[in-house]
């Protein structure tokens, strides 16, 4: 089958499709000894080289193992682990079986995990040691990566003993494929449901056009296993192209020296990093490093400004090809190396093949070039293959994203007369801090659990390194004294009740919050205040 023609809508989607069987096992049949993954720990002392034949074998065994545990097609299974090969084995095994993996970041708290397991109706969880310590009570099947206690089943032992000839029923293209949780403007994180092709086939667009991958390439993408970006650049995109994924299991504080030396020491040809990481890397003397294999660099997840692009180019001689998408879709806007169009630093590029992008008003009417509006994707008369199915169990949120012929991304942008798209910001209140999407209500809910907080509002405040940081405006109750001591106490409290990346790095105590006539907090006014006093980000 011609994956590029299908992914871009030029050929019909097949009736049956399964990423593990139709992509990973395909490459295992035609290039069995080619590397699929090169894994290393942070010291590079422990390394594993895994071929496509070995990867397919692990996936096949994993599917049989899960089947023997009673997991069925359509069942939801949470997978929470650091960057260890078993994470990929588990995801691929679940996909092959027709079960639905739900990746989660290791940064999740016990409360986060409990909520996800309950709302998704998960029948099982696969977790490493760090996540296991956060599982308070769960009636489903518990599978351990690493040390398994009495009520946990050993994943690696299960793989070793599993059958290699298990053949599950074929999955239809429109069967559920994977679920990711993503933050919204209100309430808890929402479930983004993809089918078997919307990620498992349509990421051909990501791998072929934006990542520019060939079977001879090795890609390193700095992404947490709980985020959609790992699916983009550490699994679907590369393995659809037959390329090798480089994985370093980094668990400590981000160290730019380790990253730069790794790019020199390993045969990495394609590098994907968010702007937050690049800002730290360009502080080093890039010209003193010799990147012997590196040929192509991309960035997504947050806006890449022109000075950062230029500094990287001057230091490495390599362009950064910016791209845009969401958990809800594959690559939708990008700069494409093979198209030969000049990069306009700071621009996301043009619409990706298979997508029609518009700038529309709140009613779905297209706006002229040069006018700021909603960044939207045309879904009628033809819906792109690489679009999510729905916000599962949340029809109101799903419906709210569509206006006329368009899906509204929740981002605002401008298109110039040459067709280049320029990111402006979030149209809603979601905070984007170092590529982590954080719903303000998630932060506010944790703040309100502290006895000193009477009212609060959370926004994204401009930050030179992270793009945005979480800032909380707090009205305290009588009997509490605003100040540094209370601020630190509140921050420590937030870290204890929610994932640490969500805590407010900045807190401002105020007498009152701006509100609408109906009593809703006007976060937009608070954001505007912060933007007006912020220096220009370089």
């Amino acid at each position: 089958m011609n994956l590029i023609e299908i992914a871009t809508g030029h050929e019909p989607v097949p009736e049956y499709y399964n990423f593990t069987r139709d992509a990973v096992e395909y490459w295992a049949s035609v290039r069995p000894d080619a590397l699929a993954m090169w894994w290393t720990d942070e010291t590079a002392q422990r390394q594993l080289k895994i071929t496509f034949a070995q990867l397919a074998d692990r996936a096949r065994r994993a599917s049989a193992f899960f089947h023997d545990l009673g997991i069925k097609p359509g069942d939801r299974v949470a997978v929470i682990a650091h960057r260890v090969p078993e994470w990929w084995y588990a995801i691929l095994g679940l996909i092959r079986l027709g079960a639905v993996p739900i990746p989660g970041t290791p940064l999740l708290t016990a409360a986060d995990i409990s909520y996800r397991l309950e709302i998704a109706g998960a029948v099982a969880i696969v977790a490493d040691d760090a996540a296991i310590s956060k599982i308070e009570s769960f009636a489903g099947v518990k599978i351990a990566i690493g040390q398994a206690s009495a009520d946990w089943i050993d994943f690696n032992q299960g793989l070793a003993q599993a059958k290699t000839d298990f053949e599950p029923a074929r999955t239809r293209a429109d069967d559920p494929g994977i679920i990711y949780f993503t933050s919204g403007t209100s309430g808890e994180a929402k479930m983004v449901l993809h089918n078997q092709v919307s990620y498992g086939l349509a990421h051909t667009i990501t791998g072929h056009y934006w990542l520019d991958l060939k079977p001879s390439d090795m890609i390193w993408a700095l992404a947490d296993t709980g985020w959609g970006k790992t699916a983009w650049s550490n699994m679907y995109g590369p393995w659809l192209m037959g390329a090798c994924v480089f994985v370093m299991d980094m668990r400590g504080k981000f160290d730019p020296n380790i990253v730069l030396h790794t790019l020199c020491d390993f045969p990495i040809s394609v590098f994907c990093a968010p702007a937050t990481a690049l800002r730290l890397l360009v502080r080093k003397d890039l010209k003193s490093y010799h990147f012997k294999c590196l040929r192509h660099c991309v960035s997504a997840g947050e806006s890449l400004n022109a000075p950062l692009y230029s500094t990287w180019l001057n230091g490495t001689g390599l362009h950064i090809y910016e791209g845009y998408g969401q958990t809800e879709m594959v690559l939708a806007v990008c700069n494409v190396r093979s198209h030969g169009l000049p990069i306009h630093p700071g621009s996301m590029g043009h619409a990706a093949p298979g997508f029609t992008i518009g700038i529309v008003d709140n009613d779905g009417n297209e706006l002229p070039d040069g006018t700021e509006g909603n960044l939207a994707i045309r879904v009628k008369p033809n819906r792109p293959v690489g679009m999510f199915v729905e916000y599962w169990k949340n029809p109101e949120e799903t419906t709210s994203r569509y206006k006329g012929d368009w899906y509204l991304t929740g981002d605002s942008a401008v298109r110039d007369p040459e067709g280049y798209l320029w990111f402006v910001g979030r149209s809603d209140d979601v905070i984007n801090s170092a590529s982590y999407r954080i719903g303000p209500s998630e932060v506010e809910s944790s703040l309100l659990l502290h006895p000193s907080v009477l009212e609060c509002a959370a926004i994204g405040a401009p930050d030179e390194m992270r793009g945005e940081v979480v800032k909380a405006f707090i009205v305290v109750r009588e009997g509490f004294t605003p100040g540094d001591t209370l601020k630190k106490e509140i921050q420590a409290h937030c870290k204890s009740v929610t994932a640490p990346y969500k805590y407010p790095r900045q807190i401002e105590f105020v007498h009152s919050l701006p509100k609408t006539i109906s009593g809703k907090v006007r976060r937009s006014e608070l954001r505007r205040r912060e933007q007006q006093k912020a220096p220009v980000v370089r």
Side-chain angles (χ1 to χ4, degrees):
M1 80 181 66
N2 190 322
L3 297 182
I4 295 174
E5 293 297 304
I6 297 170
T8 55
H10 293 103
E11 288 187 8
V13 170
E15 182 178 1
Y16 295 94
Y17 184 80
N18 185 280
F19 171 73
T20 303
R21 301 176 75 160
D22 294 318
V24 173
E25 291 184 10
Y26 166 78
W27 288 109
S29 68
V30 300
R31 301 180 68 234
D33 297 327
L35 283 184
M37 178 185 290
W38 189 327
W39 178 91
T40 175
D41 65 7
E42 197 164 29
T43 67
Q45 297 301 306
R46 292 181 58 227
Q47 296 187 33
L48 291 173
K49 296 181 181 179
I50 302 160
T51 66
F52 274 106
Q54 292 169 328
L55 184 65
D57 173 76
R58 307 295 195 282
R60 194 176 300 112
R61 289 175 180 271
S63 67
F65 170 58
F66 291 134
H67 170 77
D68 290 344
L69 292 175
I71 298 171
K72 303 182 298 297
D75 282 347
R76 277 79 60 200
V77 179
V79 184
I80 305 175
H82 288 86
R83 300 177 183 93
V84 292
E86 289 85 354
W87 184 89
W88 282 265
Y89 302 160
I91 297 287
L92 292 176
L94 291 167
I95 292 172
R96 188 175 192 271
L97 178 60
V100 185
I102 307 175
T105 171
L107 297 174
L108 294 173
T109 63
D112 293 326
I113 295 172
S114 294
Y115 169 77
R116 283 159 168 74
L117 293 173
E118 180 179 356
I119 194 68
V123 304
I125 182 170
V126 183
D128 66 5
D129 294 344
I132 287 172
S133 65
K134 302 174 186 176
I135 310 299
E136 296 173 334
S137 62
F138 177 57
V141 179
K142 295 184 288 188
I143 305 163
I145 296 173
Q147 188 67 36
S149 60
D151 57 343
W152 285 77
I153 300 166
D154 190 305
F155 179 73
N156 283 312
Q157 185 178 37
L159 246 60
Q161 298 173 350
K163 298 185 294 291
T164 60
D165 58 353
F166 172 63
E167 292 296 339
R170 297 174 68 191
T171 53
R172 297 181 61 85
D174 57 359
D175 281 345
I178 195 167
I179 290 175
Y180 273 97
F181 277 82
T182 188
S183 295
T185 56
S186 61
E188 297 282 358
K190 299 166 179 63
M191 293 180 285
V192 176
L193 173 64
H194 281 274
N195 60 29
Q196 291 289 339
V197 296
S198 59
Y199 255 22
L201 187 152
H203 266 305
T204 302
I205 295 170
T206 308
H208 176 73
Y209 290 105
W210 182 52
L211 299 178
D212 193 41
L213 290 170
K214 315 292 190 300
S216 57
D217 280 311
M218 180 184 294
I219 179 172
W220 187 20
L222 304 180
D224 184 299
T225 51
W227 305 117
K229 193 63 183 65
T230 277
W232 280 43
S233 302
N234 282 328
M235 189 169 72
Y236 292 114
W239 288 340
L240 283 162
M241 298 293 100
C244 178
V245 171
F246 179 83
V247 178
M248 175 171 278
D249 188 15
M250 297 186 293
R251 303 196 185 189
K253 185 177 180 181
F254 182 85
D255 189 331
N257 291 309
I258 290 177
V259 172
L260 292 171
H261 282 295
T262 300
L263 288 170
C264 294
D265 296 342
F266 291 86
I268 298 163
S269 55
V270 179
F271 181 51
C272 176
T276 301
L278 291 168
R279 290 188 192 105
L280 291 171
L281 296 178
V282 299
R283 292 183 174 186
K284 303 297 179 180
D285 179 12
L286 294 176
K287 291 185 178 180
S288 67
Y289 293 87
H290 176 53
F291 308 122
K292 55 182 179 294
C293 295
L294 193 61
R295 66 171 186 83
H296 185 58
C297 302
V298 299
S299 183
E302 53 185 303
S303 187
L304 183 73
N305 59 41
L308 178 56
Y309 166 89
S310 299
T311 303
W312 180 265
L313 175 61
N314 292 335
T316 66
L318 296 167
H319 297 277
I320 300 174
Y321 291 78
E322 190 170 356
Y324 169 89
Q326 297 179 323
T327 306
E328 291 87 341
M329 67 196 72
V330 300
L331 184 78
V333 181
C334 59
N335 291 281
V336 178
R337 180 189 183 106
S338 61
H339 285 180
L341 295 173
I343 292 176
H344 289 187
S347 166
M348 299 182 291
H350 294 81
F355 285 85
T356 299
I357 302 296
I359 305 298
V360 306
D361 63 20
N362 291 335
D363 295 319
N365 301 306
E366 289 196 73
L367 298 171
D369 289 344
T371 304
E372 179 183 335
N374 296 294
L375 180 64
I377 297 171
R378 185 179 290 279
V379 292
K380 296 179 182 178
N382 298 311
R383 183 182 177 88
V385 177
M387 289 283 294
F388 75 130
V389 177
E390 62 183 344
Y391 293 108
W392 195 46
K393 296 185 178 181
N394 197 335
E396 295 83 6
E397 181 73 15
T398 302
T399 301
S400 71
R401 286 300 190 103
Y402 295 92
K403 295 293 181 183
D405 296 344
W406 301 93
Y407 164 82
L408 305 187
T409 63
D411 291 321
S412 57
V414 173
R415 180 171 51 208
D416 67 23
E418 295 180 72
Y420 286 84
L421 290 155
W422 302 77
F423 182 85
V424 174
R426 291 294 302 169
S427 303
D428 55 27
D429 294 322
V430 172
I431 301 161
N432 188 343
S433 181
S435 297
Y436 288 92
R437 282 173 51 89
I438 303 165
S441 63
E442 298 174 82
V443 180
E444 292 159 5
S445 294
S446 66
L447 288 167
L448 289 168
L449 293 174
H450 193 275
S452 71
V453 178
L454 176 65
E455 289 186 300
C456 62
I459 66 163
D463 180 78
E464 181 177 356
M465 186 56 59
R466 294 177 175 85
E468 289 183 326
V469 293
V470 178
K471 177 169 184 176
F473 295 84
I474 295 174
V475 179
V476 301
R477 295 182 183 275
E478 290 187 14
F480 290 89
T481 303
D484 288 341
T485 300
L486 182 59
K487 182 184 300 184
K488 292 176 182 177
E489 181 183 318
I490 292 172
Q491 288 174 326
H493 158 79
C494 287
K495 291 178 183 178
S496 71
V497 298
T498 191
Y501 63 86
K502 298 178 187 177
Y503 91 95
R505 292 176 180 270
Q506 297 179 15
I507 290 178
E508 182 177 330
F509 295 107
V510 294
H511 294 294
S512 63
L513 298 171
K515 297 179 181 177
T516 64
I517 294 175
S518 61
K520 293 183 179 179
V521 174
R522 296 173 60 191
R523 297 193 191 101
S524 59
E525 181 175 328
L526 295 172
R527 283 201 308 272
R528 186 163 52 251
R529 292 181 193 175
E530 292 302 306
Q531 291 166 353
Q532 288 174 348
K533 65 184 182 183
V536 176
V537 177
R538 295 296 181 187

